[in-house]
Amino acid sequence: METGPSNPAASVVVLAGGVGGAKLAHGFAQLDLGSRLTIIVNTADDFELYGLTICPDLDTVLYTLAGIANPVTGWGILGDTANTLAMIGRYGWPTWFWLGDRDLATHILRTERLRQGARLTEIAAELAAALGVTARILPMSDQPVRTIVETPDGPLPFQDYFVRRRQRDTVLAVHFAGIEQARPTPEVERALADASVIVLAPSNPIVSIGPILALPGLRDRLVDHPAPIVAVSPIIAGRALKGPADRMLASLGHEVSPVGVARLYQDFLDGLVIDSADADSAPAIEQLGIRPLVTDAVMHDEADRARLARETLAFADQLRKGRH
Amino acid sequence: METGPSNPAASVVVLAGGVGGAKLAHGFAQLDLGSRLTIIVNTADDFELYGLTICPDLDTVLYTLAGIANPVTGWGILGDTANTLAMIGRYGWPTWFWLGDRDLATHILRTERLRQGARLTEIAAELAAALGVTARILPMSDQPVRTIVETPDGPLPFQDYFVRRRQRDTVLAVHFAGIEQARPTPEVERALADASVIVLAPSNPIVSIGPILALPGLRDRLVDHPAPIVAVSPIIAGRALKGPADRMLASLGHEVSPVGVARLYQDFLDGLVIDSADADSAPAIEQLGIRPLVTDAVMHDEADRARLARETLAFADQLRKGRH
């Protein structure tokens, strides 16, 4: 059992996207926080395929916290097969989005529960409970939000850009369809209200953390929040560890560095965890009024995840004390 | 290539339920009839599971004609896995209906096409074409019909009786919910109008052939039809080769013999194919005004299926000539 945060009643809220967010969330889950750990997960890359509602980020967080994630890809279920998908292909339907057979159970049951009128939040709780996950996995909203990526070839639904076209298009702009009508859920509001630490996971700032921050009222809540808010930089040595965040930041006019990340969160961020490779960014981050923590920010294994989570919590504690 | 019927323009229409019907349909499919072979399939044991529309009889006929059926069970796909179902069980949902992973592709795509507004008939044609099936597989109706089995424990949806409770309940009555509102499809009407031979497969007379005959107007069409109508008895030596047809006939007050089957079809049937084991039933069948054909009516292998189909067609030809 790992050592928890110094305040035993601390409620840790992590804002997360997919693989990077799931890894850090798993680090916190190793700190014996139980239900005092809440992961608020991006749902703007959710989509419908074959009539099934697929929530890639929710599923990645769920599988990772349940200990059944595929450790090679970071997404999907360890040892999963794809026999349904092969048959779907035999029927002549497109198969560019890889769906494992075990993974399909999640999409089928979620879709059925949505059809029955359940909220995405309730469904996420049911799935997590069945897999023995004690942390609370909260979709950012129960209303559908869908990321649209503007490219030289026109607008693309997120998964078309991300999976089907393998992120080859230059991203000219990003918007979140449905975001004006969407609301943070009551559970998200409550988790934020109770949070003693808020952590932005090392997920894509534009399309993973971006939609959460774009929910009506949510960013203002962070700006006004009394608890320390700490981000872990998803950019290390000028590159995203995974995914197109680096190219996306560049094409949207942002600096591809922890400083660029800090600027995106500047209005509410108290501290930014950066990798030793980016130690020379520390002064520029400090100039933005944000405290940097230089450490090893790459999560190679499960122990790394717990270490980074623990360091992030200790850092937040320092920031809290520094204020008082 | 097998020898076709004596009339090269013959259009063979087979009324079929599940496994037994699929086997005989496969026998006809081996006779090089191409699209002049139409299988009209029972849809009254269709049901919804996890939000998916499952059509067991249509699928059994499809997989059998496509050459991918599991030869041991007669249903499902050869070599299929059930990893999705295992995960559904892990999520705590009921798993009493076995669903293979490849099989699930059929249910997922059918459900999606229904949602898009396609007719069950169109969907069956799409699936069959994708699997290279040239025979026309027609659902009996595009409107939902659902068999309800009355038992001492109350009414049971068909799959609850058939799969979940393993046919252990005494069947007191059977009815087909939705049958009054259902209609034979235009494709079924057309196939019947064009039929030069009509064959009732050795399927359960009550719950497989019964719903087809119960469609408004359909039985009258058979009574008035100019083509020979031949059935293959699903009862051999007092037993159903598969399924609960024997017990069901008995509890509903019918004789569990080819004679009992003949009586159920007496108003339109011209000939009944019976097994050598039931040769002594021949006179009683003849007394009902129905010509018997005594042969080996058990389909042990694919060659048996083709032989039985060929003999059935030759028998129908004799009946046609005998009339003129």
Side-chain angles (χ1 to χ4, degrees), chain A residues 43 62 65 87 92 118 131 137 149-150 157 163 193 214 221 244 251 297 307 312:
Chain A
T43 57
L62 172 65
L65 293 192
M87 190 72 189
L131 298 186
I137 301 176
V149 178
E150 298 288 345
V163 178
R221 276 193 166 267
S251 70
R307 176 194 49 74
T312 301

Side-chain angles (χ1 to χ4, degrees), chain A residues 49-52 62-63 66 68 77 79-81 83-88 90-93 100-106 108-109 111-113 115-116 126-128 130-131, chain B residues 49-52 62-63 66 68 77 79-81 83-88 90-93 100-106 108-109 111-113 115-116 126-128 130-131:
Chain A
L49 186 62
Y50 319 129
L52 302 174
L62 172 65
Y63 299 154
I68 61 172
I77 295 178
D80 211 353
T81 48
N83 293 327
T84 304
L85 193 68
M87 190 72 189
I88 285 174
R90 187 158 171 190
Y91 279 127
W93 287 56
D101 295 321
R102 290 180 181 83
D103 185 36
L104 256 173
T106 311
I108 290 171
L109 298 184
T111 302
E112 170 65 346
R113 292 288 289 126
R115 202 189 58 81
Q116 292 173 349
E126 292 166 3
L127 297 174
L131 298 186
Chain B
L49 186 62
Y50 319 128
L52 303 174
L62 173 65
Y63 299 154
I68 61 173
I77 294 177
D80 210 354
T81 49
N83 293 327
T84 304
L85 193 68
M87 189 73 188
I88 285 174
R90 188 160 171 187
Y91 279 128
W93 287 57
D101 296 321
R102 290 180 181 84
D103 185 36
L104 256 173
T106 311
I108 291 171
L109 299 184
T111 303
E112 170 66 347
R113 292 287 289 126
R115 204 189 55 81
Q116 292 173 349
E126 292 166 4
L127 297 174
L131 298 186

